Structure formats: structure tokens, C-alpha cells
Amino acid sequence: AKGSIALVGAGPGDPELLTLKALRLLQAADVVLYDDLVAPEILDMGRREATKIPVGKRGYRPSCKQDDIIDLMIKLAAEGKRVVRLKGGDPMIFGRASEELAALHAAGIATSVTPGVTAALGAAASLQLSLTERVRARRLQFITAHAHDGRLPEDIDWRALADPCASSVIYMGARTLNSLVERLAAHGADPSTPALLVERATCPDERVIRGTLASLPAKAAALSPSGPCLILIGAVFAGGVEAEQIREAADIAIA
Amino acid sequence: AKGSIALVGAGPGDPELLTLKALRLLQAADVVLYDDLVAPEILDMGRREATKIPVGKRGYRPSCKQDDIIDLMIKLAAEGKRVVRLKGGDPMIFGRASEELAALHAAGIATSVTPGVTAALGAAASLQLSLTERVRARRLQFITAHAHDGRLPEDIDWRALADPCASSVIYMGARTLNSLVERLAAHGADPSTPALLVERATCPDERVIRGTLASLPAKAAALSPSGPCLILIGAVFAGGVEAEQIREAADIAIA
């Protein structure tokens, strides 16, 4: 049998946000390579006989670097294994998929990509706040606030990020939130722009910190989030119903 | 029983890209209100006894306006119905969800939102091209090219769209492609920037037209796409393996 690699999005956190296709591929896999952020419940949906290997930065190996992951994928495919590379969220958004696909294509390995619900969509659904809106949010933009060295990237068009008519979602945004807010202010962003931090979007222990560009850094520091965080910035993120109300209403709506 | 409305994303086209949660809600619904772009296979996954009502612009009703849809949802919820409002892609991206949620919350109706795979993620997966990349695409942005009057919106930050270090995905972009390219050129975009048109992303009859900002309008006009189209613009959309190769490889990878 010929080996293959399927890059598969695991969705934002809630195991029920896995797609039917991701489930089918998981149930057909010989080997599952999975990131830190993938819930154990999702791994449990995979084929029982599959070998499951953590390849995240907090995986059991002393160093699981991108090159090592690529080498492992090529080795497994050469052995004829059907491999699922399970990534948090969607593989094509801040997932370093282009490096993996380029190496796999160069090695002549059959690949496929299955999209997943990216964290921004999960957070918006939890909050019941649309990411786009006529007039107030015609443009939606995503950046990651975490460069190679762990600091805020330098090469971002900050003016575009500070646009009051756009919604912005910042992935991996908790650690560099202070620098981000400083940058946006320096590029003309209104300090009263609504800004939220969402930790572990769509998970049972999801937390939301509501504020403005001016107030969010102090509020976030006080609550010291430890899970993966998104920062949502823009006029559309004002108001909305409170988290508790949403949860109660969602319980009725889902029941 | 108390009625409720669940806004549910149906994903980009391929019925297998539905989430497990969307499937569960569909199977519990009394009424399903669905948009034009939702595949019949997805509706068939719903509870057999459910009433299924098209509410898209091409629905069977002479005029299915946003206000009529909202009135219908409120009426059904008041009758105690569990309603799924099924939207193409993700409800929170260009889905006019904020209007619906505001009206439903004002009417005191229990609501929930279930995210879906938005079309941009589906297209990127089909093409096996990552939407983001270190250095070349730190920022990802989405706009819709279809304003209220069917023309290109005026109130867009075109300079942000023309940024050579961002990836841009334009929803509903086929009809206004010429104007879009003119605007981007006027704001400094390089005419040789890679640009793709993807029609019916993730569907079996998906079509991809590859070009540059300079060449895409004429190529797209010659092929006259009729289904929903995305335009993808940015350095990361150059190259990639050819569609036929991807399909063959995907067949192996999925088999």
C-alpha cells in the first residue's frame, strides 16, 4: 500500500466541532500525529489500532521541531502508512502548513488537506457576535501576535490593523497584548475601541474578558490566562449578550 | 416546550465538511430554514420529520427578504419550535447574523450559534495552499465584493487590501472583479501578484482559474463562472501543485 499524509483541522476546541470528513480520516488512519491543542476526546474518536504520537511543542519528546515532524511524516509515508496530521483549528491559518506541504510534495508523497473551524469562528459563535457587518466591519483580518522569537512581529501593516472599519482577530495574542495595544495606539486606533480576550474558545472552561483597547491589557493581566487566547478588536465586539446569558440560552437552544 | 433558534454553519459546500454538532442540531430540529448554497445532501441528513423551508434569495417565495426571515423565525420560536437556521459557510462571516441575532435577542428568544468551515478555508484546503505564511503573509483579510446594491463596496480600506505582505480572500467576487482589480491597482498593488478564482470551493465541480491581478479578469470572463466564487490574492497563491495532481493525490490520501 502507498502511504499518504492527510493534514486535518481539528477545530477550535469543542470536540463536536470536528467535521464529518476529519472523523472519517481519523477512523481510517494508521498513525495520528497531533498538536498540543487537540482535545483527548478527539483523539479517542480515532481508530483504536492507530498509533498516536504527540508532536506539539509540549509533546513528550525533548524537542519536536518542525524539521523533525516533517522527517517523521516522510518516513511513515515511505513505510506505507496512512498518516493523519491533526492540527488545532484549521491547517491553513497560522498552522505552518506550507512548510510541511512543500516538503511532502518535494518527496513525492500523496497529500490531502481537510479544513477545520478556525478559532476566530469558534469564539464569534460562543460570543454570538458576528465578525462582519455592513458599514461597521466590511473587512475582517487575522494576524498572529507571536513571531518566531515569541515577540510581536515587526513586519505587520499596523495602519491596516488600526482601521476602525475592520474587525481584527489576533491569534496567540495574550503574551504580547501590551505591545500590540501600544502599536495600534501609535497608528491611530481609538483607545475606546471594544476589545475582548477569549481563552479556550468553545471549550467548557472558555473565559471571556471584555474591555476596550485601553482597558483590556490590565484586565487580562489580572486574570492571567493560561490557555490559548484570541484577542478580538473592533466596533462589532461591543455589547452582545453576557456570557452567562448566552450559556443559558444555548443550553435551551441545544437541548 | 420553549422554542429556540440555532444559527448553524453548513460549511463551504462538501457535505462532509459539516461539523458533528451541526449534524446533531439538524437531527433534533423541528424546522430547518436554509440558504440557497446549502447542498441537498446536507438537508437530507436532517431529521426526516422536520419541515424544511428555503429562505435564500432564490427560494421558492417571490421575495424572501431579511425582515421576512426574521419574522418567520420569531413566529416559529413562539410556537415552541426548535429551529435550525442553516447558513452556507460560517454564520459569522458575511452571513448577516448580527441583524438576525439582534432581532431574536430583542424578542427574548433562546439562540445559539454553531460555527462552520468558511469558504476561504475550504478553497485553501482544495488548493493545498496555506493562507498564511511567515514573512510573505502575516496578515489574512476577508472582504465581500458585493454591497447592498450588488456593486463593489466603496467604504473599504483599499490600501490595506493592496498590501503585498497580506493574503486577501474576496467573497462573492466574480461580478465585480474588474472594479476590484482597478481599485487595487490604483492603490499600488503589483499587477503580477498571484490571483486565483475558485468557483464552488470543495464541491465535486469546483473550478480554479489561476492568474495574476493583471490576467485574472479576462480569464474569469472567458470561463464565465456561475456558482459562488472566491477571489484569492497574494504571494502565497503562486505555484502549488496543479488541480489534477491534487485530486489524484487526494484520492490516494483519502482512500
Side-chain angles (χ1 to χ4, degrees), chain B residues 199-215:
Chain B
E199 183 190 16
R200 298 186 193 282
T202 76
C203 295
D205 57 349
E206 174 184 295
R207 287 200 301 174
V208 180
I209 304 172
R210 285 159 195 270
T212 60
L213 275 185
S215 69

Side-chain angles (χ1 to χ4, degrees), chain B residues 25-252:
Chain B
L25 293 173
L26 272 177
Q27 291 180 343
D30 298 311
V31 181
V32 178
L33 305 179
Y34 64 96
D35 280 347
D36 292 332
L37 299 179
V38 175
E41 293 87 344
I42 291 177
L43 291 174
D44 288 346
M45 292 180 201
R47 189 168 151 233
R48 196 179 287 269
E49 296 79 10
T51 307
K52 290 162 190 170
I53 305 174
V55 294
K57 279 171 196 143
R58 286 178 270 171
Y60 72 95
R61 294 162 168 232
S63 94
C64 220
K65 295 195 178 125
Q66 190 65 39
D67 287 347
D68 297 339
I69 298 171
I70 289 171
D71 290 347
L72 180 60
M73 285 194 283
I74 292 174
K75 177 175 158 284
L76 290 166
E79 290 170 3
K81 298 284 196 292
R82 279 171 304 190
V83 179
V84 164
R85 168 86 170 96
L86 197 58
K87 289 170 175 278
D90 177 76
M92 299 317 218
I93 295 194
F94 306 126
R96 300 187 66 176
S98 61
E99 296 167 47
E100 297 185 5
L101 288 167
L104 295 169
H105 292 160
I109 292 163
T111 58
S112 71
V113 181
T114 298
V117 173
T118 189
L121 309 186
S126 288
L127 293 162
Q128 299 207 16
L129 288 170
S130 182
L131 294 166
T132 64
E133 212 180 278
R134 293 185 179 203
V135 184
R136 289 202 302 169
R138 284 225 184 260
R139 191 165 60 86
L140 168 64
Q141 55 194 341
F142 300 158
I143 62 160
T144 167
H146 191 89
H148 200 242
D149 57 3
R151 297 167 70 175
L152 195 67
E154 292 295 320
D155 51 348
I156 298 264
D157 182 345
W158 296 107
R159 209 201 52 86
L161 254 286
D163 174 7
C165 293
S167 297
S168 303
V169 181
I170 292 92
Y171 283 65
M172 295 173 274
R175 282 207 294 174
T176 54
L177 180 56
N178 285 323
S179 319
L180 175 81
V181 168
E182 278 168 25
R183 281 302 177 98
L184 293 177
H187 287 79
D190 183 339
S192 70
T193 306
L196 307 179
L197 181 149
V198 183
E199 183 190 16
R200 298 186 193 282
T202 76
C203 295
D205 57 349
E206 174 184 295
R207 287 200 301 174
V208 180
I209 304 172
R210 285 159 195 270
T212 60
L213 275 185
S215 69
L216 193 65
K219 287 186 178 184
L223 281 162
S224 61
S226 60
C229 290
L230 293 178
I231 312 290
L232 289 78
I233 301 169
V236 290
F237 302 123
V241 289
E242 279 303 310
E244 280 312 305
Q245 288 172 266
I246 290 174
R247 245 183 291 276
E248 280 169 36
D251 287 345
I252 297 167

Side-chain angles (χ1 to χ4, degrees), chain A residues 136 144 150 159 177 220:
Chain A
R136 290 203 302 171
T144 167
R159 211 201 51 86
L177 181 55

Side-chain angles (χ1 to χ4, degrees), chain A residues 9-205:
Chain A
D14 177 355
E16 266 206 299
L17 295 176
L18 199 71
T19 65
L20 305 177
K21 186 171 180 180
L23 178 62
R24 175 169 61 81
L25 293 173
L26 272 177
Q27 291 180 342
D30 298 312
V31 180
V32 178
L33 305 179
Y34 64 95
D35 279 346
D36 292 330
L37 299 178
V38 175
E41 293 87 342
I42 291 176
L43 291 174
D44 288 346
M45 293 181 201
R47 188 167 151 235
R48 196 178 288 269
E49 296 78 11
T51 307
K52 291 162 191 171
I53 305 174
V55 294
K57 281 173 194 142
R58 286 179 271 171
Y60 73 93
R61 293 163 169 235
S63 94
C64 220
K65 297 200 176 117
Q66 190 65 38
D67 287 347
D68 297 338
I69 298 171
I70 289 171
D71 289 347
L72 180 59
M73 286 195 280
I74 292 173
K75 176 176 160 284
L76 290 166
E79 289 170 3
K81 298 286 196 293
R82 280 170 303 188
V83 178
V84 164
R85 168 86 170 97
L86 197 58
K87 287 170 176 276
D90 178 77
M92 300 316 217
I93 294 195
F94 306 125
R96 300 187 68 177
S98 61
E99 294 166 48
E100 296 184 7
L101 288 167
L104 295 169
H105 292 160
I109 292 164
T111 58
S112 71
V113 181
T114 298
V117 173
T118 188
L121 309 187
S126 288
L127 293 163
Q128 299 207 16
L129 288 171
S130 183
L131 295 166
T132 65
E133 211 180 277
R134 292 185 179 203
V135 184
R136 290 203 302 171
R138 286 224 184 262
R139 192 164 59 85
L140 168 64
Q141 56 195 340
F142 301 156
I143 63 161
T144 167
H146 193 90
H148 199 244
D149 57 2
R151 297 168 72 173
L152 195 67
E154 292 294 320
D155 52 348
I156 298 264
D157 182 346
W158 296 107
R159 211 201 51 86
L161 254 287
D163 174 8
C165 294
S167 297
S168 302
V169 182
I170 292 90
Y171 283 67
M172 294 173 274
R175 281 206 295 173
T176 55
L177 181 55
N178 286 323
S179 319
L180 175 80
V181 168
E182 278 168 25
R183 281 303 176 97
L184 292 178
H187 287 79
D190 182 340
S192 71
T193 307
L196 307 179
L197 181 148
V198 183
E199 182 190 18
R200 298 187 194 278
T202 79
C203 294
D205 56 349

